[in-house]
Amino acid sequence: MHTIKLFLFIIPLVISSKIDQDYSSYDSMSPEPKSRFAMLDDVKILANGLLQLGHGLKDFVHKTKGQINDIFQKLNIFDQSFYDLSLQTNEIKKEEKELRRTTSKLQVKNEEVKNMSLELNSKLESLLEEKILLQQKVRYLEKQLTSLIKNQPEIQEHPEVTSLKTFVEQQDNSIKDLLQTVEEQYRQLNQQHSQIKEIENQLRRTGIQESTENSLSSKPRAPRTTSFLHLNETNNVEHDDIPANCTTVYNRGEHTSGIYSIRPSNSQVFNVYCDVKSDRSWTLIQHRTDGSQNFNETWENYRYGFGRLDGEFWLGLEKIYSIVKQSNYILRIELEDWNDNKHYIEYSFHLGNHETNYTLHLVEISGNVPNALPEHKDLVFSTWDHMAKGHVNCPESYSGGWWWHNVCGENNLNGKYNKPRAKTKPERRRGICWKSQNGRLYSVKSTKMLIHPTDSESSE
């Protein structure tokens, strides 16, 4: 650029000097040889200027060529990035279509289950009404029969009364079967609801359902207010032949893991899973393996239990308390990661009753999981719909009931189970993301919580 400016400055000077020389030649009529030498000097100056201009243009062309090459490289990088983004967009669209199809199917199934539940409820109500009428008739007939027996002791029971009693017993059995069916339907409804909610959350994270995102409430919707049925429990009657815990079951000769009925002292009969290991039978109170059971349940469900004993389940705080109040117990926590590495920790513990919100007090005995849970502190159990007064109010993100102390953390074995979706997801987001007190984040595939009396003889 400087060369071009110099050339533009020199050319007017050369032209002006030439014009002046022409005018002076007319005025003075100087000799011809002198004018010829002056013109050669001007040509040399002009040639020198043109040469410098050529060099300047050459440098400018080289610089421009380098800048164009840089621009082409940046364009290539941009094209590659745009291509990668288009591939990711196509994958997201495919996932969106799949999620929409799954959502529609689940909604249809949910409607079908709701309709079946309504039909079962109507049938159950009609059967209950029939049962009441039949019971009234039976009472009336029993009164008449009693009076007849008093008047005629040797008379036999009337066949109509016998048939009515048989019919009433059949109706009772039918009602029990219907109650079992209704409970199974409600469980399916809860599972369908949790699956639909999880899919809606996935759609919301991808930015697909923007309108739905604005209308969601800040807390998860509570399940139906219909009373939860407990088929594992029976009336509080005397069962002298039923063991008090899994240790008693083991001492009676049952040395295989499985489901057994127990009745702790001053408690009802219910089923538990006895896990036999190292010549001991432990009572399994919590088990998670694949995320098939939703653990973001209400306070009532955590009190009385949920899930399947042969799969994922929570035994129930009331049942756990009825077992451990008999004597001193050990709490064992077993963790397994995605590389099949197993860890455990054992505590001696004390569990409070319902009035204390099942306060837990721990003292570590042994194990290879450092600082798993706070020791020598009162840990209060709470859920999203039940917070103890004066204690920490954990946010909705800490799904699932657990024992907390002053601050919420990520060491919640009842938290959300993250199922792996794509290979690009970090490995730590699989399973239960559990962060111990030392700051290390574990990706847990399966968990077990077991209890066993410290003195086996005390359970006999």
Side-chain angles (χ1 to χ4, degrees):
M1 290 299 296
H2 292 291
T3 307
I4 295 172
K5 290 180 180 180
L6 180 63
F7 177 72
L8 294 175
F9 177 75
I10 293 173
I11 289 175
L13 293 176
V14 173
I15 295 172
S16 61
S17 63
K18 187 175 184 307
I19 293 172
D20 291 337
Q21 289 176 1
D22 290 339
Y23 279 117
S24 61
S25 64
Y26 287 111
D27 293 337
S28 58
M29 298 298 290
S30 57
E32 184 178 356
K34 185 177 180 179
S35 175
R36 185 186 309 162
F37 290 127
M39 291 179 63
L40 288 174
D41 292 335
D42 293 339
V43 170
K44 288 180 179 179
I45 293 171
L46 182 60
N48 189 21
L50 290 173
L51 183 62
Q52 292 180 359
L53 176 63
H55 286 298
L57 289 173
K58 184 177 179 181
D59 295 336
F60 177 73
V61 168
H62 282 299
K63 290 180 180 179
T64 305
K65 186 176 179 181
Q67 293 176 355
I68 291 173
N69 290 333
D70 293 338
I71 291 172
F72 275 118
Q73 289 179 358
K74 292 179 180 179
L75 286 174
N76 290 331
I77 294 172
F78 175 78
D79 290 340
Q80 185 64 34
S81 301
F82 185 78
Y83 177 73
D84 294 338
L85 287 174
S86 63
L87 292 178
Q88 294 179 2
T89 303
N90 291 332
E91 292 179 358
I92 293 173
K93 287 182 177 179
K94 290 179 181 178
E95 291 184 1
E96 173 195 352
K97 292 180 180 178
E98 185 66 26
L99 289 173
R100 285 184 180 276
R101 284 196 296 267
T102 307
T103 303
S104 61
K105 291 179 182 178
L106 289 175
Q107 288 176 347
V108 172
K109 290 182 180 179
N110 194 15
E111 291 297 327
E112 292 177 355
V113 173
K114 285 182 180 178
N115 295 331
M116 291 175 63
S117 178
L118 293 174
E119 292 177 1
L120 288 172
N121 284 332
S122 62
K123 290 180 180 179
L124 182 61
E125 290 175 357
S126 62
L127 286 172
L128 289 173
E129 292 176 356
E130 291 180 3
K131 179 183 177 182
I132 293 171
L133 293 174
L134 289 171
Q135 286 177 345
Q136 292 175 355
K137 291 180 180 180
V138 169
R139 290 193 192 99
Y140 176 73
L141 290 172
E142 284 179 347
K143 289 179 181 179
Q144 290 184 345
L145 182 62
T146 304
S147 63
L148 287 173
I149 290 173
K150 289 179 180 179
N151 296 329
Q152 298 177 357
E154 296 179 356
I155 194 170
Q156 296 181 353
E157 190 178 56
H158 200 278
E160 292 183 0
V161 176
T162 305
S163 62
L164 280 173
K165 287 184 177 180
T166 305
F167 181 71
V168 170
E169 290 177 356
Q170 292 177 354
Q171 291 295 327
D172 287 337
N173 293 330
S174 300
I175 290 172
K176 289 180 181 178
D177 294 338
L178 280 174
L179 288 173
Q180 293 178 356
T181 307
V182 169
E183 184 191 16
E184 186 64 28
Q185 294 296 331
Y186 278 122
R187 286 180 179 176
Q188 292 180 4
L189 275 174
N190 288 330
Q191 290 179 357
Q192 296 287 344
H193 174 70
S194 62
Q195 290 177 358
I196 291 173
K197 184 178 177 182
E198 183 179 356
I199 290 174
E200 288 178 351
N201 291 333
Q202 292 175 355
L203 290 172
R204 205 177 304 122
R205 284 196 295 268
T206 55
I208 298 167
Q209 297 179 341
E210 296 180 355
S211 59
T212 306
E213 190 175 26
N214 296 326
S215 63
L216 291 177
S217 59
S218 61
K219 281 189 176 182
R221 187 177 67 184
R224 292 175 179 259
T225 56
T226 309
S227 60
F228 192 80
L229 302 177
H230 305 285
L231 296 181
N232 289 335
E233 297 183 359
T234 60
N235 294 329
N236 191 7
V237 296
E238 291 295 326
H239 297 277
D240 294 335
D241 59 336
I242 298 179
N245 53 29
C246 287
T247 300
T248 309
V249 173
Y250 182 84
N251 292 337
R252 290 185 180 182
E254 299 291 343
H255 295 169
T256 57
S257 300
I259 299 174
Y260 298 92
S261 296
I262 66 170
R263 185 178 72 85
S265 59
N266 300 323
S267 178
Q268 297 175 336
V269 177
F270 55 87
N271 291 336
V272 294
Y273 189 94
C274 297
D275 193 352
V276 178
K277 56 180 66 185
S278 301
D279 297 330
R280 283 186 176 185
S281 184
W282 295 73
T283 303
L284 192 60
I285 64 173
Q286 186 254 34
H287 192 201
R288 304 190 71 181
T289 56
D290 54 9
S292 58
Q293 173 66 42
N294 179 23
F295 271 68
N296 192 20
E297 290 287 353
T298 61
W299 171 258
E300 286 300 311
N301 287 347
Y302 267 100
R303 280 192 67 190
Y304 299 110
F306 54 86
R308 298 175 59 89
L309 291 176
D310 56 354
E312 292 196 335
F313 72 94
W314 173 259
L315 183 61
L317 293 166
E318 277 296 319
K319 296 174 184 176
I320 299 170
Y321 175 72
S322 68
I323 296 173
V324 301
K325 71 179 181 180
Q326 301 177 110
S327 62
N328 296 324
Y329 269 74
I330 297 172
L331 171 64
R332 179 183 175 92
I333 298 175
E334 296 181 354
L335 309 176
E336 182 178 0
D337 60 23
W338 295 91
N339 294 324
D340 298 330
N341 297 320
K342 296 182 179 180
H343 310 273
Y344 83 97
I345 189 168
E346 292 183 356
Y347 297 96
S348 62
F349 73 100
H350 176 268
L351 182 67
N353 57 13
H354 172 65
E355 296 178 354
T356 67
N357 292 299
Y358 304 99
T359 300
L360 181 67
H361 194 85
L362 298 171
V363 177
E364 183 178 348
I365 300 175
S366 63
N368 54 12
V369 182
N371 299 324
L373 294 173
E375 296 183 70
H376 307 289
K377 295 179 181 178
D378 291 333
L379 308 178
V380 179
F381 198 93
S382 62
T383 60
W384 61 266
D385 65 335
H386 179 87
M387 305 296 176
K389 292 183 179 180
H391 288 80
V392 61
N393 186 357
C394 296
E396 179 185 344
S397 59
Y398 295 96
S399 61
W402 193 246
W403 288 279
W404 307 108
H405 177 75
N406 293 338
V407 63
C408 296
E410 296 185 26
N411 55 344
N412 180 2
L413 297 184
N414 290 337
K416 182 180 178 181
Y417 194 101
N418 298 288
K419 298 180 180 179
R421 292 178 54 224
K423 294 182 179 179
T424 56
K425 293 287 182 181
E427 293 295 318
R428 66 183 181 87
R429 299 304 300 172
R430 297 190 301 174
I432 304 170
C433 295
W434 187 60
K435 188 176 183 180
S436 64
Q437 292 184 345
N438 61 3
R440 184 176 178 182
L441 187 65
Y442 294 89
S443 178
V444 182
K445 180 174 68 171
S446 65
T447 67
K448 281 185 179 181
M449 296 180 66
L450 312 99
I451 56 175
H452 185 277
T454 55
D455 184 6
S456 299
E457 299 299 328
S458 64
S459 62
E460 290 298 326

